[in-house]
Amino acid sequence: MTKDLTYWIEKGKEMVANREARIAKAKKWKFDTIATHGLYDANEALSLNNGSIMEPVYLSPAQAYENSAEMEAGLSYQMPNWCYSRIANPTTYFLEETTALLETYGSEIRATCLATASGMSAIRTATDPFLVYDKKFPNPNIVTSAKVYGGTFQQFWVRRHQEQGLEVRWVKEPENMEEWENLIDENTRFVYGEFPSNPTVGIFDISEVAKLAHKFEIPLIVDATCASPALTRPLVLGADIVIQSASKIIGGSGTSIIGLLTAKLDITSKIGSEEMKHDFATWAKLWPFRDNGPTINPMASFMTLNDLRTLRMRAEKMSHNAMLVAQYLENHPKIERVHYPGLQSYAAYKMAKKYMQLADDGRNMFGYMFAVEIGEKSENSSKNSRKFYDALQMAWRATDLGRVKTVATLNAISTHQQQGEEGRALASIKPNTCRIACGIEHADDIIADMEQALKSI
Ligand SMILES: *Cc1c(COP(=O)(O)O)cnc(C)c1O
């Protein structure tokens, strides 16, 4: 048989059917099983990888083709192939496929994922396609929670608004549906929220905001980095696209910077082509991402995949620790306030209970991160927060979170420094706000470190 274009297109169909069968099998598994195996099985190992039980790392820039017809079929996207590592890579596929399964866990929803060089580039890649020029809607705006990560605030406010003139409408109290309702109009291109937000753990009603966005025929994009699919799966709750900075709990042992963009099939948008709306993550990978190039290194994909296997257990342990430490601090006289969705004092506690549950367990777990305002009640002193911070002995002073090691961050001088006083007020960051991201140590030792550091005040 001549290996012409038709031959390769037929072979491509077989590859797609084989992949579909593996997805169908994995869809029936529990969360930890999917996280551990993904789509890599013994058949794959024996036929492609000398039987290795771990996924191969392809540190190669490009794929070779048997003949010109295979190359033509591959490069015209008529058969699955990876072609060139800026566009795709077989190791990265394993990470993407596992992530797509976990983000839709517990539902029949199908999604695809695109791994990127960082969480910030995942946000950029997810939002760019909705902001293209469209003469039917010449004055675009976006509606976003003001309680977002500092980098996201900068990307929206400095890069998009100040440099490019995009109208950015901030929702100051994202748990309040009325604000979202008042800000969205026919020129809104997408709605954006963080669940829970970094660092003040603001949340919003994902299902209700998704319904509202869909009424206006626009997508809801959710950054769920601080929950992770082990606790909250926005796609299952109605969102169209979910972002993870896998630099955080997904890659918890701390080897890389990585972003993950996962989109359900057939997203809602009045902007863009049918192809884009049908399979957003794949479309983004094959078109704009390929041209813009914020590509993940295959080694980072492999290390992230390894960490992903233990995500649920770490989410459980870290949430358990965060709860104990938050409770301890809430009762401490030198602490003004603790923001943690797991505390009864948290304003949207009921909503947090509804949306944050450990997969395959059902128990409420509220994540690894909380914010505390240091100092005696209503003192709001940055001096005392620095004293406390500088006295920490085990917890690391760093701008990091989701790590297996406990990390503390003074946000006003670090993550949210660039956005200035006004921007920080929008995000409820005070001069004495300290973000604590609990690791997997024993909770007693984290508490002991906090206790001795508070004695310095
Ligand atoms: C860290 C973080 C980001 C940015 O991710 P990088 O991987 O550092 O680029 C985005 N959103 C949230 C909530 C984060 O915590």
Side-chain angles (χ1 to χ4, degrees):
M1 188 182 195
T2 49
K3 293 188 176 173
D4 57 7
L5 190 61
T6 316
Y7 168 88
W8 291 110
I9 291 172
E10 282 310 307
K11 190 162 162 87
K13 286 183 190 154
E14 265 171 50
M15 291 161 78
V16 170
N18 174 292
R19 183 171 165 274
E20 284 298 315
R22 282 180 287 139
I23 290 173
K25 187 171 78 173
K27 274 273 195 195
K28 299 202 177 99
W29 284 335
K30 299 287 189 198
F31 193 93
D32 285 338
T33 315
I34 296 170
T36 305
H37 294 282
L39 297 190
Y40 186 68
D41 61 11
N43 277 338
E44 282 266 306
L46 292 165
S47 61
L48 298 171
N49 193 24
N50 292 303
S52 167
I53 68 167
M54 301 311 266
E55 294 82 346
V57 184
Y58 288 95
L59 292 177
S60 169
Q63 170 182 10
Y65 297 96
E66 194 174 314
N67 62 14
S68 60
E70 188 191 12
M71 187 181 227
E72 188 182 357
L75 271 67
S76 58
Y77 301 141
Q78 295 187 81
M79 79 179 282
N81 75 134
W82 59 277
C83 177
Y84 186 62
S85 279
R86 168 158 44 75
I87 308 169
N89 176 279
T91 308
T92 301
Y93 277 141
F94 292 119
L95 172 64
E96 292 168 337
E97 283 162 343
T98 308
T99 303
L101 287 165
L102 295 180
E103 291 284 12
T104 54
Y105 181 67
S107 78
E108 294 300 313
I109 294 169
R110 284 289 300 272
T112 52
C113 170
L114 168 61
T116 65
S118 65
M120 292 321 302
S121 61
I123 295 168
R124 189 84 199 186
T125 306
T127 51
D128 265 347
F130 302 108
L131 296 172
V132 294
Y133 177 72
D134 185 312
K135 61 176 181 300
K136 273 194 288 179
F137 308 100
N139 299 307
N141 69 69
I142 63 170
V143 172
T144 169
S145 168
K147 291 185 179 166
V148 290
Y149 174 67
T152 308
F153 183 93
Q154 292 291 107
Q155 190 181 103
F156 288 169
W157 191 248
V158 179
R159 307 276 90 82
R160 296 237 192 247
H161 170 71
Q162 291 180 349
E163 292 182 356
Q164 295 172 347
L166 176 71
E167 186 183 346
V168 177
R169 298 181 176 176
W170 298 110
V171 175
K172 296 192 185 76
E173 298 295 338
E175 59 277 7
N176 179 359
M177 273 311 293
E178 229 170 87
E179 264 197 70
W180 298 94
E181 280 160 13
N182 290 341
L183 292 176
I184 301 175
D185 65 22
E186 63 157 10
N187 290 314
T188 305
R189 295 293 183 89
F190 64 81
V191 178
Y192 190 96
E194 223 169 84
F195 189 103
S197 70
N198 174 1
T200 46
V201 289
I203 62 172
F204 63 97
D205 194 320
I206 298 175
S207 297
E208 289 303 313
V209 175
K211 270 188 224 153
L212 179 65
H214 293 166
K215 252 196 249 164
F216 285 85
E217 217 187 321
I218 52 175
L220 169 64
I221 305 172
V222 180
D223 177 341
T225 297
C226 298
S228 93
L231 301 182
T232 304
R233 292 174 294 286
L235 299 186
V236 178
L237 298 168
D240 298 87
I241 299 173
V242 62
I243 301 293
Q244 303 285 346
S245 164
S247 321
K248 312 295 165 54
I249 189 174
I250 289 180
S253 52
T255 57
S256 326
I257 297 295
I258 319 106
L260 296 167
L261 177 177
T262 309
K264 64 168 68 158
L265 295 187
D266 302 315
I267 62 164
T268 300
S269 172
K270 54 187 176 188
I271 302 287
S273 66
E274 290 310 307
E275 186 193 355
M276 169 185 129
K277 286 182 270 187
H278 173 58
D279 185 348
F280 182 84
T282 307
W283 172 87
K285 172 188 290 207
L286 298 183
W287 303 104
F289 178 81
R290 162 179 145 159
D291 300 335
N292 293 329
T295 307
I296 185 172
N297 183 300
M299 196 64 210
S301 297
F302 178 69
M303 291 187 289
T304 307
L305 187 62
N306 262 338
D307 270 356
L308 195 54
R309 305 184 217 276
T310 55
L311 171 65
R312 203 188 66 105
M313 312 170 210
R314 283 181 288 111
E316 177 172 10
K317 169 77 176 172
M318 288 155 83
S319 298
H320 172 78
N321 282 352
M323 182 67 129
L324 293 176
V325 181
Q327 280 170 342
Y328 166 78
L329 291 174
E330 189 174 44
N331 293 315
H332 198 290
K334 288 179 184 166
I335 295 291
E336 191 180 305
R337 188 157 170 206
V338 181
H339 302 261
Y340 185 57
L343 297 175
Q344 305 233 348
S345 57
Y346 181 74
Y349 178 63
K350 250 188 158 159
M351 198 192 291
K353 277 185 80 163
K354 182 169 159 200
Y355 287 135
M356 302 185 81
Q357 287 155 15
L358 186 65
D360 287 329
D361 179 302
R363 264 180 306 160
N364 281 122
M365 294 264 158
F366 299 97
Y368 52 83
M369 180 192 68
F370 57 87
V372 289
E373 286 152 27
I374 312 272
E376 307 207 8
K377 309 267 180 248
S378 64
E379 185 180 47
N380 203 12
S381 133
S382 59
K383 205 168 80 214
N384 281 336
S385 55
R386 291 220 189 199
K387 274 195 201 156
F388 161 81
Y389 194 61
D390 291 339
L392 290 169
Q393 288 179 3
M394 183 192 72
W396 293 88
R397 282 175 286 279
T399 54
D400 192 24
L401 72 157
R403 206 58 57 223
V404 291
K405 301 179 179 192
T406 295
V407 177
T409 311
L410 283 183
N411 300 90
I413 58 163
S414 59
T415 54
H416 292 67
Q417 185 256 327
Q418 291 165 351
Q419 69 197 58
E421 197 81 48
E422 223 176 295
R424 283 194 290 275
L426 263 179
S428 311
I429 312 279
K430 298 187 176 166
N432 63 338
T433 298
C434 181
R435 181 181 73 196
I436 314 268
C438 287
I440 59 169
E441 305 96 337
H442 197 290
D444 289 355
D445 293 322
I446 308 173
I447 290 171
D449 194 25
M450 302 286 146
E451 187 166 25
Q452 66 80 27
L454 282 165
K455 286 197 180 121
S456 67
I457 300 180

